[in-house]
Amino acid sequence: RGAYDQPDKSERLEPGTMDALPRMDSSLPRNRLGLAQWIVDPDNPLTARVAVNRYWQMYFGIGLVKTPEDFGSQGAVPSHPELLDFLAASFIESDWDVKAMQKKSVMSSTYRQSSSFSETLLEKDPDNRLLARGPRFRLYGQALRDQALAVSGLLADEQGGPPVMPYQPEGLWDEVSAKGYKYIVGKGNDLYRRSLYTFWRRTVPPPSMMNFDNSSREICSVSLNATNTPLQALNLMNDPQFVEAARALGERMLREGGESSSDRIEFGHRLVLARSPEEETLSILETGYEDYLSEFRTQPERANSLVTTGASRAHPDLSSPELAAMTMVASTLLNLDETVTKE
């Protein structure tokens, strides 16, 4: 009964669940298997509610219950309890089909709303708890990295396997109390796998992930935090992973985008943002490209330094100044507010 020095032999306690939650069926074994079966029992709504609330938070930035770590009496009440119950019931009825639940969320009219808002609406509902507009929030660290790799064509899509070690500042583990452990930067596809597979040492987490508010994993954390700091912009513009992704995207623009610079820039804009640029935007990017091209032609060593960043190599037929100039345009596209923000 929890008091090891006061055994009460008159009452024997058996494994069970709290009275506030549905009781375990008498047919279930009182062990971990029985607990697992009870957790996903259709008569137990808590598991489904917690799960769909996490999915909702992933797409909308904040859950229907805004305290995803606490569904108890100290947690927040749902903003839309009927919707939470509907989603939880649908999840159970689909036999816990996670993909079907994602599809239901992103195809809803609520999710497909514009994220634009009026001053009146912002004053009445700054956190969008009434769901009167579409979600808008900055992407988290893993998504930003994976997005850059995906549009550049570098992303390695194999699944499973051991963790990998992508680019990281040299000597970081030596600097931060990790003596005796060596961070060996990977090779080949290991550098371009999804961030899910990144090796994570809790005492020295990946710095690029921490710049974008990822949990350090020292404690369990299911809430999303977002800040806006100069380090984030520096990360997106100067981290070798993002510079290399910009170079690979620039190469795609040159080789797949057409013959003219405007066609190539429009192609890159569609790759990154899934829409064509407005005339003013296209004009600004074209002017930037011409300025960069002129500069890199007079400083070929700077062009070579830029296009050789990272382990992958550019196609040998491409001119270094031309590729460097398009790399800068690609980097601009990857750093647009619309690119790094989910809206």
Side-chain angles (χ1 to χ4, degrees), residues 35 37 59 77 102 139 142 168 181 212 221 238 250 268 308:
L35 177 61
Q37 293 172 327
Y59 288 117
V77 297
Q102 312 304 310
L139 295 175
Q142 290 100 325
Q168 182 170 285
Y181 296 94
F212 291 98
S221 177
N238 298 287
T308 55

Side-chain angles (χ1 to χ4, degrees), residues 90-98:
S90 299
F91 193 34
I92 294 172
E93 291 168 0
S94 70
D95 196 23
W96 309 91
D97 191 330
V98 175

Side-chain angles (χ1 to χ4, degrees), residues 219-250:
I219 58 173
C220 178
S221 177
V222 295
S223 297
L224 298 173
N225 297 310
T227 62
N228 189 6
T229 71
L231 282 177
Q232 293 166 358
L234 290 171
N235 199 151
L236 292 175
M237 290 188 288
N238 298 287
D239 187 312
Q241 191 87 83
F242 288 95
V243 174
E244 184 180 21
R247 192 268 303 156
L249 175 58

Side-chain angles (χ1 to χ4, degrees), residues 164-185:
V164 296
M165 295 184 175
Y167 304 114
Q168 182 170 285
E170 186 177 354
L172 182 62
W173 281 20
D174 296 332
E175 294 281 343
V176 192
S177 66
K179 301 297 184 182
Y181 296 94
K182 296 295 183 182
Y183 189 94
I184 303 173
V185 177

